[in-house]
Structures are given as structure tokens and as C-alpha cells.
Amino acid sequence: MNIVWATSEAAPYAKTGGLADVSYSLPYALAENGHNVSVFMPYYPQVMGDKCDDTECVYKLLGVPFGDSNEEWASIRQHKISENLSFYFIEFDRYFDRPKLYDWDGNEYSDNAERFIFLSRAIMQAVLALDIQVDVLHANDWHTALCNVYLKSDLYNSYENFSRTKSIITIHNIGYQGVFKKSNLYWTGLGWDYFNVHCFEFYDQLNLLKAGVLTSDMVTTVSPTYAEEILTRDYGFSLERALQHRAVQGKLRGILNGIDVIEWDPETDKLLPYNFSDKDLTGKAQCKAALQEEFGLPVRPDVPIYGVVSRLAHQKGLDVFIECIDDMLKEDDVQFVIIGSGETWQETALSDYAKAYPDKFGAHIGYSNKLAHLVEAGSDFFVMPSRYEPCGLNQMYSMKYGTVPIVRSTGGLEDTVNNYSAGNINKATGFKFYDLYPAALRDTLRWAGSVYRNDKPAFAKMVTNGMKMDFSWHHTAVEYEELYQHANSRF
Ligand code: ADP
Ligand code: GLC
């Protein structure tokens, strides 16, 4: 199949979260299975960074109709990974040559509607310019949802390139929907007849994700539990009615994400000072010491370290973590290390803990992939108290690195972690809690700590259970292939 994957970010080129990881590793897995995959994303300055600029300009003057009558000129750059996998970058500096992808100092860029409407239109034009006969158009989140609306519209439905195209939209996070003033409809080049409840209209505003959900042949999200949760008022962010409508039609599915098992392999990971495997954990103990040193904590093998790597956003529940660990820092013999950036008050609270408890709490405020790998490898526990978590990748990375996840039972966290209990030790891979209260999280952190100290065989078993789990894309890539083949008929 010829698969076009539309996204706003992909690792290693530009990344703010898990969408980037998935936008590299799933296309990679599909290409390995023999499909031709073309990934389209913006050409941000980050792409020019250290990793590549192996990109090459393959199309200089791409005309992109924008608004009612304007035409803008972009270029297409290509990074060819293999014969059947290419990343294509839409180069258009006015919108994409910015220091950060979506915001500055926590404030969304005021022209984000224009930027991503432009991206979607440019992707459609690029497909025509490169003359790709598209079998599958796979859009991701609100930023590229419009591609699937365009596909069915008069603007594109008569092109031969799209004559057999099935459209899929994957929701990676329904908390972000691309809701803007309705006047932004102008930029789409689509008429006001599209501004109705079956498409863009959402409380008299323009909702790009909603339009994608209602017009795509198939809607997916990134775990089976999240696919159920988003049908409810608590998790649907006001899109639950639209999603219920698609679910009744049999057009909504939850497919669990996999992980990139080449990048995230403790035996070969070049970002780690020491490597290890489930057969020999010596390197893990050395990574723990290196982690303690890195964060200026006392180097002690016996104390449990709880690690966190996260965006500091409301979704992630770290406000509750910040509240609950105060008692533990005062009373318990524990260490915490955290890497994160996001809400300013959380950044400040974490830095304050690091100042107040230099022997127990280490914080790196910012983004560091290298440190993230060290935290995954050197910690004993990995904490994810998410309010909601469509899939979550870190809990899977941590299990592969022999680090036991402690998670709130929601979305993909529910689907990937097997809760510890005395009777379940052969399967257990982590600790779960249900209600997001400081006391519930604190009790679970302490419960895990007591298993670490007092039941070493059980803890060791959980470590190896996690390391043996298969989270590779092999299974899920097959699920996507099935979905692509049957998007119009069986599902
Ligand atoms: P989300 O996409 O909601 O942030 P995921 O768990 O799916 O959550 O993916 C997060 C990804 O971003 C992981 O690869 C994680 O390691 C990475 N990440 C998040 N914050 C940081 C950070 N401050 N430094 C390095 N990596 C980070
Ligand atoms: C989103 C979600 C996260 C998921 C990722 C990749 O950012 O918040 O849970 O793992 O997308 O699908």
C-alpha cells in the first residue's frame, strides 16, 4: 500500500511528546512490512539541528492555495530512510521557522490555526506534486485532521491520486482539538456550508479535530481503554457525542501503541553509560549510581529511586505528585529524580524541592533525551499519575529498562501494566492506583517502596517480568494494516 502519514512532529527531527515517537516508529514498522510510507511534516529549525540535515530539496515551488484567492509558495524537502520510507518536510518559513513548535513561553502562537490549516493544505498539494497514488491517508491529531476533510471535498475528490484513498485519523490526545474562532474557516478555502454540526462547528467555533473525526473513514486512538474512556463525559472533552456517533457506526477503534525497540534497548542504548539485560543487571546498578551522581544525590544502592520524565501539563497529574511527596521527603529514606518542563508553577515547585532536599530530590527543568534515557535506566520506579493517558510510552520504556512503573489506572497505562499482588507475582509488572488523590498516590509510592525493601525476590521478579514484555510494533503494525485494508468495508 502507499501510505501517506501526516503529522506535526516526528522524532528525531522535532519532538514535544509521544506523537513524535509514534510518527517515526509506526511508519518504520509499516515500511519494514513492505509498504511505501511517506511521512509529511513541517520543516522546523529543529530539523536542521544536529541529527540530520541530510534533507534535500526535492520540489522548489509548491503552490499552496490559501484562503479564498491567495496562493503561497512552499518547498518540499526529503529525508530518505530507505527505498520505501521517506520523510518529507514542508518548508515555509513564515509559519514554521520558529524556536518552538506550538508556543512561546507557554503561550500558543496566535496564528496556530493558519499554520496548521496551511500545513494540511500543503500536504495535499505535495501529494499531487510528487504524484503519489494514495491508498491510505493517515492524519494524526488536530494539526493534520483537515487533510481528511479535504480528501472528501470538491477541492480534492476528483484527483486520480486520491481515487482509491481511505482516510484514517488517530487521536493521540483529545485534550487538544484545534478549536479556533470560526473566521479561520476562511484559510481552509472551504465554504460556510462546512460550518455545521456534522463538520467543523463546535459551540459556534471551528474545531479541526471534530471535523476530522466526523469525515474520516476510520477513527482510531492509541489504546483500547482510552477508546472507551473518550466516549464518556469525564474523558471526552465535549467531543464524546461525535465519538459515540462514530462508535455506533463501528468506526472507532483503540490500537495500542508500540515502542521503538531499537532506540529503547538497554543492551545497546548508546545514550547510557552502562548497558544491561534481564540476564545481567550489573549495568543497571551502575546506571543507578551514575544517575545519583548526575543529580548530586548520595550514591547509595539500597535507597529506592522514583523517576519521572514528563511534560508538566495538567494531564500528567504531577500537581498531585508535588502535593503528596512533601511528607515522604520529610519522613522517608527515598530519592526522587525528575525531568520535565511545562507549567511554570510546577517547574518552580520542583526546583524548590531540589533546593530544600538536595540529598533526596533531583530535578532537571527542561528537555533532555539523554537524561531521559538515564532516568529510565537508573531508577527503580517510574511514576505516572496521569489524569488521563491515551497510551503513554514512558511506562513501556521503563519496563524494558527494568524500572517498575507506578501508574494511575487509566488509558494505555491500564492496558500495559499488570498490577502487583501477592497472588499475581508471575505476571506483575507494576503498581496501579485508581483515585487521583495525594493520599492514594502516596500510599502506592510507599507500598511499592516497601516491596522493594522487604520482598526483594518479588521486586526482582517484577523487574524481569517487565523486561521480557514485547512492546514492539510487530503486533500493532499488523492491526493497522488490517484496518487500512478494510477501512471502508468490514469496520
Ligand atoms: P505525551 O506524548 O503525552 O507527552 P508519552 O508518554 O506518550 O506522553 O511520550 C512522552 C515522550 O516524550 C517520551 O518519549 C518521553 O521520554 C519524552 N519526554 C517528555 N518530557 C521530556 C523531557 N523533559 N525530556 C526528555 N524527554 C521527554
Ligand atoms: C499523546 C498522549 C500519549 C500517547 C502519545 C502517542 O501525546 O498524551 O499518551 O502515548 O500521544 O500516541
Side-chain angles (χ1 to χ4, degrees):
M1 284 181 270
N2 291 328
I3 300 164
V4 166
W5 180 277
T7 181
S8 58
E9 56 181 270
Y13 310 104
K15 166 169 166 176
T16 66
L19 169 63
D21 300 54
V22 173
S23 292
Y24 188 86
S25 51
L26 177 53
Y28 190 93
L30 290 164
E32 277 206 318
N33 287 356
H35 304 289
N36 297 317
V37 190
S38 310
V39 180
F40 287 86
M41 63 178 280
Y43 189 63
Y44 303 110
Q46 290 82 351
V47 177
M48 293 170 255
D50 49 345
K51 293 279 179 340
C52 32
D53 216 352
D54 297 337
T55 66
E56 171 194 357
C57 184
V58 289
Y59 203 95
K60 265 210 165 65
L61 283 174
L62 177 74
V64 183
F66 197 48
D68 273 353
S69 53
N70 291 348
E71 183 154 47
E72 301 286 357
W73 298 95
S75 342
I76 310 172
R77 303 185 72 87
Q78 179 185 21
H79 186 208
K80 198 167 174 177
I81 307 287
S82 65
E83 261 328 294
N84 57 338
L85 174 62
S86 274
F87 283 74
Y88 291 103
F89 302 91
I90 304 294
E91 186 174 14
F92 189 71
D93 287 352
R94 190 199 316 160
Y95 287 146
F96 302 126
D97 186 10
R98 309 233 172 141
K100 291 179 79 191
L101 273 55
Y102 311 118
D103 59 41
W104 182 244
D105 261 359
N107 299 313
E108 302 273 301
Y109 294 128
S110 57
D111 58 356
N112 270 350
E114 277 166 66
R115 295 174 75 220
F116 291 101
I117 290 170
F118 180 84
L119 174 67
S120 304
R121 188 79 193 251
I123 292 173
M124 300 305 278
Q125 292 295 108
V127 165
L128 296 178
L130 299 172
D131 198 17
I132 303 173
Q133 294 295 321
V134 190
D135 293 298
V136 174
L137 176 57
H138 194 144
N140 291 277
D141 277 349
W142 70 265
H143 316 89
T144 50
L146 186 56
C147 290
N148 292 0
V149 184
Y150 279 139
L151 178 73
K152 300 261 166 85
S153 75
D154 289 349
L155 298 176
Y156 291 96
N157 65 13
S158 57
Y159 283 101
E160 180 55 29
N161 300 70
F162 295 117
S163 59
R164 57 175 196 233
T165 308
K166 298 164 184 177
S167 58
I168 316 290
I169 184 153
T170 294
I171 300 170
H172 296 263
N173 192 334
I174 207 167
Y176 305 87
Q177 298 179 9
V179 178
F180 301 102
K181 279 194 194 135
K182 62 184 171 190
S183 52
N184 285 294
L185 184 72
Y186 168 80
W187 300 110
T188 66
L190 297 167
W192 281 102
D193 47 329
Y194 282 79
F195 193 71
N196 64 61
V197 287
H198 305 294
C199 197
F200 291 114
E201 196 275 337
F202 180 76
Y203 300 98
D204 206 32
Q205 291 186 294
L206 184 82
N207 184 324
L208 295 173
L209 183 65
K210 181 187 173 196
V213 161
L214 289 174
T215 53
S216 299
D217 291 325
M218 196 71 205
V219 182
T220 73
T221 186
V222 289
S223 69
T225 295
Y226 194 59
E228 287 172 21
E229 288 174 341
I230 53 178
L231 299 177
T232 66
R233 266 182 76 170
D234 284 348
Y235 290 87
F237 283 82
S238 303
L239 224 53
E240 62 273 10
R241 293 293 293 278
L243 288 159
Q244 286 162 13
H245 175 66
R246 298 314 311 262
V248 168
Q249 297 173 323
K251 301 285 186 187
L252 172 69
R253 285 189 68 192
I255 302 179
L256 194 66
N257 282 336
I259 60 172
D260 181 338
V261 289
I262 299 171
E263 197 203 335
W264 292 95
D265 178 355
E267 272 192 88
T268 53
D269 189 335
K270 290 198 173 48
L271 297 176
L272 295 182
Y274 306 96
N275 291 108
F276 55 92
S277 71
D278 60 324
K279 293 181 192 68
D280 181 1
L281 289 165
T282 319
K284 181 162 174 73
Q286 291 169 312
C287 284
K288 178 168 176 175
L291 178 66
Q292 288 167 321
E293 232 168 81
E294 174 75 39
F295 281 87
L297 301 170
V299 177
R300 290 175 46 199
D302 56 314
V303 61
I305 304 189
Y306 299 80
V308 175
V309 178
S310 185
R311 290 185 292 117
L312 303 177
H314 188 65
Q315 170 196 350
K316 301 294 179 183
L318 291 167
D319 49 327
V320 177
F321 172 81
I322 288 168
E323 202 177 331
C324 94
I325 59 172
D326 202 33
D327 285 353
M328 291 180 75
L329 287 168
K330 283 187 190 122
E331 295 160 19
D332 300 5
D333 184 20
V334 288
Q335 293 181 348
F336 294 97
V337 284
I338 178 158
I339 309 180
S341 62
E343 290 180 12
T344 314
W345 80 265
Q346 293 196 21
E347 293 183 353
T348 311
L350 295 168
S351 306
D352 288 350
Y353 273 143
K355 277 184 217 131
Y357 300 96
D359 284 355
K360 291 187 175 177
F361 196 93
H364 173 87
I365 304 303
Y367 188 93
S368 165
N369 189 37
K370 187 166 185 225
L371 277 184
H373 281 245
L374 185 61
V375 171
E376 295 285 4
S379 306
D380 299 296
F381 297 106
F382 196 92
V383 189
M384 295 179 75
S386 305
R387 279 202 167 72
Y388 70 93
E389 195 59 75
C391 180
L393 301 172
N394 279 310
Q395 79 281 12
M396 294 191 263
Y397 300 151
S398 75
M399 284 184 261
K400 287 314 285 178
Y401 282 59
T403 299
V404 174
I406 299 173
V407 302
R408 174 153 181 266
S409 174
T410 182
L413 300 175
E414 168 67 12
D415 294 339
T416 51
V417 177
N418 296 325
N419 199 13
Y420 166 81
S421 70
N424 184 33
I425 192 59
N426 284 329
K427 290 211 170 125
T429 54
F431 294 84
K432 285 185 186 173
F433 68 103
Y434 297 86
D435 298 319
L436 189 56
Y437 296 118
L441 175 55
R442 188 167 46 237
D443 286 351
T444 314
L445 296 175
R446 283 180 163 157
W447 172 37
S450 86
V451 174
Y452 172 89
R453 286 210 155 90
N454 305 321
D455 193 349
K456 291 199 161 55
F459 183 78
K461 183 79 177 103
M462 289 173 79
V463 167
T464 46
N465 286 349
M467 294 182 86
K468 288 192 174 124
M469 297 288 287
D470 179 4
F471 295 120
S472 66
W473 277 103
H474 293 303
H475 311 292
T476 35
V478 171
E479 282 190 63
Y480 276 104
E481 283 171 352
E482 265 179 41
L483 179 90
Y484 292 160
Q485 268 152 9
H486 302 290
N488 283 334
S489 48
R490 208 177 72 196
F491 293 108

